[in-house]
Amino acid sequence: MNGECIVINGGRRLEGSVTVHGAKNAVLPLLAAGILTDEELTVEDCPYISDVDAMTDLLAETGARVTRDGRRICVSGKATSARASETLCKSMRSSMFMLGALLSSAGSVEMPLPGGCDIGARPLDIHLDGLRRMGARTECDGNFLRCTADKLHGADIFMRYPSVGATENLLMCASLAEGNTMLVNCAREPEIVALARGLKAMGAKISGEGTSVIKVEGVKRLGGAVLSAGGDRIVAGTVLAAVSLCGGDATIYGVSPDDMRSVIQAFRSRYCEVEESGVCLRVRSQGRVRAKSVITAPYPLFPTDMQPQYFACQCFSDGTSKICETVFDGRFAHAREFAKMGADISVCANSATVFGKEKGMRGAALIASDLRGGAGLCIAALKTEGESRVYNPHFIDRGYENFEAMFSSLGADIRRERFPS
Ligand code: EPU
């Protein structure tokens, strides 16, 4: 545990408005795309979160010049080193983007296998299979990855699963490969669309992003551009979950409701109204939760990154529901922590049965062990009367900019405390 925790005195309604920051999972690959050109690439709306800091450090390590001016980050100059360091790669999964970006720009990459949140097995076979089809040689000894390519060429690639990261890596490589690439069964998340649009602004020829078949006509070079990531749909969903659980009336700005269809659908109930207009959502909730089962799956279905927050709400529901996690095989660590608060849950493999309790939950000392799980614990604590302490907030800092400030602005009693470690 690091020497900090988030202290929450729950039981307050949430009222007011928040504007969500730029989308972490769109900003990270856009930044990595900065080394695909020797001109300047600017990414706007970059949030102050630790995963963005780690990505800028990784890019700087490859020799690129990276500067930050408020929320704008500029990357300029191609990579001069194809090696990514152990500490940074192990610290976050998004180091996986160095695979596509470095291979494409420097012709080789040597890196330890990416780390990141412990939410289950996270192999790279789909990435590597695609890269091999484009002409790369890959070697992986279980800990360390080496890929080289004299020249990448276009290919028809069928992905056995619509992996977000693999689609992004292959898009970056295909953009500068010789000839045409067709990616079949690719991921359709809004973050894929953001990357494809960014690459197109840099001169890439891509069509079909947002569908399961993407076509790329390789170009000889990419140029500079100014790109924007758009608001973070998971941060918006986290606020939606908290307001629906605690009760209140809040407006969430800066996100496209169209990107959150399945999430809005899951939270709408006879107790909770969600109104959509343009780039905002208004949530009005009585603070009761309808028991409703959910299954996570690739976009446009219910996102795995909202599962812990949804799970937190179901602990307080008016009945019994099931939560089935199909994307990652180890994303239920929060269930054990909810049980410390009095939740009645039975977990069997990747499926959890939650016997909702409208009363009788209590504050507790909770240990976060991943980013979204940590957010889920805080949401449960915001609802529960009495004090809860959420340890390991550094996980939350990976993806939420000033989590406590966002919820205090809605009237929550939440603060960060340091303690001697
Ligand atoms: N998979 C494979 N082989 C591969 C790649 C993936 O078996 O080569 C499996 C994974 O093990 C997992 C599933 O496919 O079971 C989905 O993985 P995916 O590759 O789609 O996920 P990712 O690219 O590693 C991104 C987000 C995650 C988000 C997932 C799913 C980034 C930086 N990360 O991860 O975000 O959960 O897509 O939507 O974009 C988060 O923000 O908290 C987070 C974990």
Side-chain angles (χ1 to χ4, degrees):
M1 271 191 282
N2 78 348
E4 289 187 337
C5 67
I6 296 179
V7 183
I8 297 173
N9 274 289
R12 296 195 177 197
R13 281 167 60 81
L14 301 178
E15 312 260 349
S17 66
V18 293
T19 301
V20 298
H21 57 65
K24 167 180 88 83
N25 290 344
V27 164
L28 295 170
L30 287 174
L31 288 172
I35 57 172
L36 298 177
T37 171
D38 38 25
E39 294 178 15
E40 186 169 281
L41 183 79
T42 301
V43 182
E44 297 185 322
D45 308 324
C46 293
Y48 288 93
I49 54 175
S50 59
D51 270 13
V52 166
D53 295 339
M55 178 55 86
T56 54
D57 288 349
L58 257 177
L59 292 168
E61 242 183 29
T62 69
R65 208 168 75 85
V66 187
T67 54
R68 179 164 199 150
D69 176 12
R71 295 190 179 274
R72 295 181 129 218
I73 297 181
C74 295
V75 183
S76 55
K78 276 198 172 174
T80 49
S81 158
R83 256 192 113 93
S85 77
E86 169 123 23
T87 330
L88 287 172
C89 287
K90 291 285 175 211
S91 80
M92 65 163 189
R93 174 72 178 175
S94 308
S95 55
M96 67 186 167
F97 298 128
M98 301 317 283
L99 184 57
L102 274 175
L103 186 65
S104 186
S105 65
S108 71
V109 53
E110 288 188 31
M111 60 186 281
L113 287 179
C117 283
D118 186 9
I119 52 180
R122 295 181 88 172
L124 287 173
D125 59 301
I126 304 170
H127 304 240
L128 298 179
D129 179 59
L131 295 175
R132 280 193 293 267
R133 282 172 198 275
M134 296 177 82
R137 290 175 297 282
T138 66
E139 250 178 79
C140 180
D141 69 3
N143 274 314
F144 204 81
L145 198 58
R146 262 184 212 91
C147 295
T148 49
D150 304 327
K151 195 185 257 180
L152 288 171
H153 55 73
D156 289 350
I157 299 169
F158 173 79
M159 288 188 260
R160 67 167 176 82
Y161 184 91
S163 154
V164 173
T167 305
E168 291 168 335
N169 262 331
L170 296 174
L171 261 181
M172 287 195 259
C173 287
S175 294
L176 284 169
E178 196 176 283
N180 297 336
T181 296
M182 181 158 69
L183 302 176
V184 179
N185 195 29
C186 42
R188 292 182 280 163
E189 271 70 0
E191 293 74 25
I192 305 285
V193 176
L195 176 63
R197 287 198 181 139
L199 290 168
K200 286 203 271 195
M202 296 167 74
K205 294 192 173 157
I206 300 172
S207 60
E209 66 275 18
T211 75
S212 50
V213 179
I214 302 183
K215 292 183 180 165
V216 187
E217 194 185 320
V219 295
K220 288 209 158 36
R221 58 178 296 280
L222 294 174
V226 179
L227 311 176
S228 176
D232 196 308
R233 66 192 168 103
I234 305 299
V235 174
T238 303
V239 177
L240 166 53
V243 178
S244 91
L245 178 61
C246 297
D249 181 350
T251 306
I252 307 166
Y253 291 100
V255 74
S256 158
D258 278 341
D259 292 346
M260 299 179 59
R261 207 48 62 216
S262 61
V263 173
I264 293 172
Q265 183 69 21
F267 283 99
R268 253 188 198 134
S269 75
R270 59 176 168 266
Y271 309 125
C272 179
E273 252 178 71
V274 187
E275 257 174 61
E276 304 166 22
S277 67
V279 286
C280 81
L281 289 178
R282 181 170 178 194
V283 193
R284 274 177 291 181
S285 164
Q286 299 166 25
R288 294 186 65 198
V289 176
R290 209 185 112 201
K292 208 196 274 185
S293 300
V294 92
I295 302 179
T296 67
Y299 190 85
L301 299 177
F302 191 84
T304 173
D305 290 347
M306 278 302 299
Q307 180 260 106
Q309 303 90 315
Y310 189 79
F311 198 144
C313 297
Q314 289 299 311
C315 293
F316 300 81
S317 83
D318 63 1
T320 300
S321 61
K322 271 198 188 285
I323 296 183
C324 183
E325 171 60 59
T326 74
V327 181
F328 290 106
D329 60 11
R331 208 169 197 180
F332 274 154
H334 37 282
R336 194 183 48 226
E337 304 302 305
F338 294 145
K340 290 184 187 166
M341 305 176 91
D344 189 357
I345 299 163
S346 147
V347 175
C348 178
N350 283 347
S351 173
T353 306
V354 188
F355 304 95
K357 278 184 165 182
E358 292 201 273
K359 290 203 167 60
M361 297 278 281
R362 54 187 179 274
L366 307 167
I367 301 174
S369 50
D370 66 271
L371 161 59
R372 309 300 174 188
L377 300 183
C378 290
I379 288 177
L382 286 170
K383 170 73 174 176
T384 315
E385 305 263 344
E387 184 183 281
S388 293
R389 291 176 166 258
V390 179
Y391 291 91
N392 284 341
H394 62 282
F395 284 115
I396 296 171
D397 299 337
R398 300 176 73 140
Y400 295 88
E401 179 179 316
N402 209 340
F403 190 88
E404 306 89 90
M406 181 167 73
F407 282 106
S408 350
S409 78
L410 293 175
D413 182 348
I414 178 170
R415 65 178 196 280
R416 194 170 289 227
E417 228 176 66
R418 286 178 186 281
F419 57 88
S421 45

